[in-house]
Amino acid sequence: MAEFELIQDYFSGLSQPDSQVVLGVGDDCALLQPPAGKRLAMTMDTLIAGRHFLSDEHPSGIGYKSLAVNLSDLAAMGAQPAWALLSISFPQIDHSWLEAFVSGFVTLMREQGVQLVGGDTCQGALSITWQLTGFIEPGQEMRRSAARPGDAIYVTGTLGDAALALEMKRAGQDPGELEQRLTRPVPRVEEGRRLGAAGVRSCIDISDGLVADLGHICKQSGCAARVHLNRLPVSPWVRQYLQEGGDFRPVVAGGDDYELCFTASPDSVAHLQDMPVTRIGEILPGEGVELLDGSGNALPLPPAWEHFAS
Ligand code: ADP
Ligand code: MG
């Protein structure tokens, strides 16, 4: 089968011409019309088989997660997702793999209003690159560099679920419902947009663990963060794991949760009561992230939880 037919069959029907997508898949370039007055937020991530996922992982899971992690970056900026480019290489044409791969991301893509407007397809080692573009109202973006002493620190959702699920799988246990948190993270797109519109100026998505990612905010903002371990939001599964004496490191240093961590004056988030956000600490003058236990003693900072480093 020629590359042309492959693109036609799998990737060409995933955009609708509209006032913004003047021309989608099929020509030398896509032609796009950004809405007047909006800024474009752009992000790209590559996932390589054997490095970011296992080659024998289910292709629909690879399709889902590869798109979800890119959407999470747009969410962390406060952008509204709009357009995607997909570059994919695979060693040989495998129709059932490709079908499952596309079915893995297509629902998420539609839910988030993303149009696949182009890409590249070639033969080689299995690897997937998404480039996403979103729209943002000038001034509503949330930068890593905008945290200020006096801000409170918040996270969405719960922490440690993905890391615990991975840990259980590696130990040969069935993570049950928790597995979804690892394989099908839900990017916090709506939350990100609402936070940006509410005046939150500093945010990051938690892909490498709270301590590491909050550390990026501190470094780029030139300030310090103090986090209270007993305020960290956890799911019933993680709560039980901790009560049974489990290590707290997956909660503070486990990756793959794709929740948002943001800093703001408490006033600016006071009216967002219907959002799943928890206040976990405060931004201070200085540098680095400090973690305190329930008695106010500093806990040793885990390095990126090494189980999850590879
Ligand atoms: P060219 O050689 O001019 O780059 P290609 O044959 O690579 O053209 O691509 C033809 C069209 O198909 C282009 O519009 C391109 O954006 C699109 N395309 C190729 N691969 C993909 C893909 N994986 N997903 C979406 N669109 C794709
Ligand atoms: Mg090409």
Side-chain angles (χ1 to χ4, degrees):
M1 182 187 234
E3 182 192 321
F4 173 79
E5 288 163 56
L6 197 102
I7 295 167
Q8 188 72 19
D9 283 0
Y10 293 104
F11 303 118
S12 70
L14 302 175
S15 69
Q16 291 291 321
D18 61 21
S19 57
Q20 293 166 356
V21 179
V22 181
L23 193 59
V25 169
D27 213 312
D28 296 311
C29 295
L31 288 174
L32 304 166
Q33 181 65 54
K38 292 280 171 77
R39 279 189 186 146
L40 303 182
M42 297 196 179
T43 184
M44 178 158 77
D45 260 309
T46 296
L47 287 94
I48 297 170
R51 179 143 184 209
H52 302 101
F53 60 90
L54 301 172
S55 309
D56 63 357
E57 205 166 303
H58 198 276
S60 85
I62 298 171
Y64 179 90
K65 196 163 170 181
S66 63
L67 177 60
V69 303
N70 277 280
L71 284 166
S72 180
D73 283 325
L74 289 182
M77 211 68 194
Q80 174 193 348
W83 305 318
L85 299 170
L86 169 64
S87 176
I88 179 164
S89 70
F90 36 76
Q92 68 272 317
I93 295 172
D94 176 343
H95 290 286
S96 64
W97 191 96
L98 273 167
E99 251 165 58
F101 173 74
V102 172
S103 77
F105 70 70
V106 79
T107 307
L108 179 63
M109 186 173 251
R110 294 210 171 106
E111 275 168 10
Q112 295 293 347
V114 173
Q115 314 245 40
L116 182 63
V117 298
D120 197 23
T121 305
C122 66
Q123 194 175 18
L126 180 59
S127 120
I128 294 144
T129 301
W130 286 98
Q131 189 279 326
L132 260 60
T133 300
F135 305 144
I136 203 160
E137 200 67 49
Q140 289 197 356
E141 70 275 3
M142 300 186 289
R143 303 176 188 223
R144 296 179 180 187
S145 58
R148 295 292 174 261
D151 282 359
I153 306 168
Y154 299 83
V155 290
T156 60
T158 56
L159 300 178
D161 295 322
L164 182 59
L166 185 58
E167 188 71 356
M168 290 176 77
K169 282 176 78 160
R170 292 206 168 144
Q173 297 161 345
D174 176 9
E177 281 175 70
L178 210 51
E179 177 148 17
Q180 297 276 314
R181 293 277 289 154
L182 176 65
T183 57
R184 301 187 72 80
V186 179
R188 294 284 190 181
V189 173
E190 182 60 28
E191 289 84 352
R193 289 179 60 196
R194 288 182 61 197
L195 292 172
V200 173
R201 292 285 69 91
S202 184
C203 182
I204 193 168
D205 64 322
I206 304 179
S207 53
D208 297 332
L210 174 69
V211 169
D213 289 317
L214 181 55
H216 294 310
I217 286 189
C218 289
K219 187 147 202 194
Q220 294 194 27
S221 297
C223 53
R226 179 190 287 152
V227 171
H228 305 276
L229 186 65
N230 60 6
R231 289 197 208 157
L232 297 181
V234 292
S235 66
W237 298 279
V238 171
R239 185 174 309 284
Q240 187 184 345
Y241 153 87
L242 292 173
Q243 279 165 355
E244 288 168 0
D247 193 311
F248 68 90
R249 282 179 299 172
V251 180
V252 298
D256 275 358
D257 279 323
Y258 296 99
E259 295 294 349
L260 300 179
C261 174
F262 60 96
T263 82
S265 74
D267 296 346
S268 55
V269 293
H271 65 288
L272 299 175
Q273 277 148 356
D274 58 320
M275 263 180 55
V277 301
T278 306
R279 186 171 168 174
I280 62 165
E282 46 277 334
I283 296 290
L284 305 166
E287 59 181 42
V289 178
E290 185 184 40
L291 191 62
L292 299 186
D293 69 11
S295 325
N297 299 315
L299 289 160
L301 270 190
W305 179 226
E306 60 187 285
H307 276 68
F308 312 107
S310 59

